């Protein structure tokens, strides 16, 4: 296994100066349509939070196993790492299909552009790939894991009112005070969507953030009845919370997808190496891995390595 290093984010401060100017121009189709490259020295980007760190480590380990030499850099701002991906300063990043599609769409068509991400994975992937290709980016196949917005209530509340899904909550007619970010009042996936799609009586939005400790404590204490979090939240059990199923698919298809620089990492070798993760990694797996880092204080690289070994994707020892 080849040696790998993580570059501190402080060393990447020069990226905005170069990344915004060295990517392939959209009209330069020569670079975009050239044969996919297969550099043996690849830089993997992480967005700096636990889940992204874990995925970057897994990507690196799988690519190492396939004969590539890798290093990981942490860049917390998409406005920085996406241009760096276009320019080839970063070769591979883990992304979220619907979110990245909407981000590229806004970059091309303006902040007020209508969203192209949707709950339909096939539709979302088609839009994402169409936006990525002219920028010299290739979006590999999505796996089984998805990190979407999700809504949780206490297990006692769910048991008392026989709730397993958001539809159940809507049918119950219960008034619901929702702990979420302040933007929830206007976002279609949040309060308006809960009312329109599920008929849930949202009486107020308590602006405590998305999945924050304060938001979860507000639901745990009974101040609020439901919290906006994510499907890979690793700490729900600590607060006695359970997710309600989004059975009418209000949330967009934010499946995990590797995005690569085509001219450096668009080869079949990279595709096959990273595609192995698609056969095993589930949303539940990812939540457990997040928990090991966030709650058990284990290192992302160790957690990633142990998981891949347990799934026989890299050798033990």
């Amino acid at each position: 296994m080849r040696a790998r290093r993580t570059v501190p984010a402080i060393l990447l401060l020069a990226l905005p100066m170069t990344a915004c100017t060295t990517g392939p121009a959209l009209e330069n189709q020569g670079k975009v349509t050239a044969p996919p490259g297969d550099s043996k020295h690849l830089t993997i980007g992480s967005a700096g939070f636990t889940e992204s760190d874990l995925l970057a480590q897994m990507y690196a380990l799988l690519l190492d196993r396939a004969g590539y030499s890798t290093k990981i850099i942490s860049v917390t701002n998409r406005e920085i790492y996406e241009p760096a991906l276009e320019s080839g300063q970063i070769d591979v990043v883990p992304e979220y299909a619907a979110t990245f599609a909407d981000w590229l769409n806004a970059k091309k068509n303006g902040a007020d552009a209508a969203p192209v991400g949707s709950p339909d994975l096939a539709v979302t992937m088609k839009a994402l790939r169409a936006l990525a290709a002219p920028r010299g980016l290739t979006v590999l196949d999505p796996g089984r894991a998805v990190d979407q917005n999700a809504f949780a209530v206490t297990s006692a509340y769910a048991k008392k009112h026989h709730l397993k899904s958001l539809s159940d909550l809507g049918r119950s007619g219960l008034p619901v005070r929702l702990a979420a970010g302040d933007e929830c009042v206007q976002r279609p996936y949040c309060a308006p969507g809960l009312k329109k799609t599920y008929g849930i009586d949202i009486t107020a939005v308590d602006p405590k953030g998305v999945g924050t400790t304060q938001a979860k404590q507000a639901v745990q204490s009974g101040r609020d009845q439901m919290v906006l979090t994510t499907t890979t939240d690793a700490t729900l059990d600590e607060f006695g919370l359970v997710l309600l199923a989004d059975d009418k698919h209000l949330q967009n298809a934010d499946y995990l997808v590797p995005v690569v620089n085509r001219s450096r990492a668009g080869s079949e070798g990279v595709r096959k190496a990273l595609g192995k993760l698609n056969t095993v990694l589930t949303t539940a797996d990812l939540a457990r891995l997040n928990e090991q880092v966030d709650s058990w204080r284990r290192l992302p690289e160790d957690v990633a390595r142990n998981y891949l070994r347990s799934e026989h994707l890299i050798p033990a020892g």
Side-chain angles (χ1 to χ4, degrees):
M1 190 171 294
R2 288 169 168 76
R4 184 169 63 258
R5 62 190 178 93
T6 300
V7 180
I10 190 72
L11 299 181
L12 301 174
L13 294 179
L15 278 178
M17 299 299 294
T18 58
C20 292
T21 58
T22 58
L26 295 187
E27 66 274 10
N28 187 349
Q29 294 300 308
K31 288 187 178 180
V32 175
T33 58
D38 192 26
S39 172
K40 294 301 179 182
H41 301 275
L42 299 176
T43 298
I44 300 165
S46 164
F49 57 93
T50 295
E51 188 167 288
S52 190
D53 289 343
L54 281 165
L55 290 164
Q57 292 288 350
M58 285 190 274
Y59 287 5
L61 288 163
L62 290 169
L63 289 167
D64 287 347
R65 176 65 176 160
Y68 295 87
S69 175
T70 63
K71 66 179 179 180
I72 296 172
I73 61 176
S74 181
V75 189
T76 58
N77 192 318
R78 188 178 276 117
E79 283 77 8
I80 298 175
Y81 75 67
E82 189 278 330
L85 183 62
E86 289 186 29
S87 72
Q89 291 174 287
I90 295 174
D91 302 306
V92 185
V93 294
E95 264 293 357
Y96 301 89
T99 295
F100 197 47
D102 284 339
W103 194 87
L104 289 179
N105 186 47
K107 184 175 181 179
K108 177 183 178 182
N109 298 311
D112 295 331
V116 295
S118 79
D120 188 314
L121 177 59
V123 170
T124 297
M125 287 298 296
K126 183 178 180 179
L128 173 55
R129 284 172 165 154
L131 289 161
R135 297 185 177 277
L137 306 180
T138 297
V139 182
L140 305 186
D141 291 338
R144 300 159 62 191
V146 56
D147 188 351
Q148 295 169 306
N149 292 305
F151 297 91
V153 299
T154 65
S155 56
Y157 185 84
K159 183 176 181 180
K160 178 180 179 180
H161 299 291
H162 309 288
L163 306 176
K164 293 184 177 181
S165 68
L166 291 171
S167 287
D168 291 339
L169 182 56
R171 284 191 293 267
S172 74
L174 293 165
V176 174
R177 181 177 165 94
L178 175 63
D182 53 11
E183 72 279 3
C184 178
V185 175
Q186 296 179 325
R187 293 288 175 87
Y189 66 80
C190 203
L194 291 172
K195 293 176 181 178
K196 180 178 179 181
T197 302
Y198 289 105
I200 297 173
D201 180 15
I202 303 295
T203 60
V205 172
D206 189 3
K208 294 189 178 299
V210 179
T212 64
T213 296
Q214 294 79 8
K216 293 170 189 172
Q217 287 174 337
V219 176
Q220 184 183 41
S221 68
R223 169 185 170 87
D224 300 331
Q225 287 72 52
M226 188 162 68
V227 60
L228 171 63
T229 182
T230 66
T231 53
T232 59
D233 190 322
T235 64
L236 293 178
D237 286 347
E238 297 176 21
F239 297 90
L241 303 177
V242 293
L243 293 179
L244 296 180
D246 179 20
D247 51 311
K248 293 184 179 179
H249 307 292
L250 173 62
Q251 304 304 320
N252 283 344
D254 260 330
Y255 283 76
L256 298 173
V257 291
V259 182
V260 304
N261 177 289
R262 175 185 166 88
S263 66
R264 289 184 48 81
S267 69
E268 188 63 18
V270 171
R271 184 184 298 272
K272 285 184 177 180
L274 298 183
K276 291 180 179 180
L277 196 59
N278 292 353
T279 64
V280 296
L281 185 67
T282 65
T283 304
D285 288 343
L286 197 52
R288 286 192 292 269
L289 298 179
N290 286 337
E291 181 182 26
Q292 290 178 41
V293 176
D294 291 337
S295 298
W296 303 358
R297 302 306 182 198
R298 293 182 176 175
L299 294 175
E301 184 171 3
D302 293 339
V303 173
R305 181 180 290 109
N306 289 338
Y307 176 74
L308 294 181
R309 285 174 176 171
S310 72
E311 297 295 336
H312 308 292
L313 295 183
I314 60 172

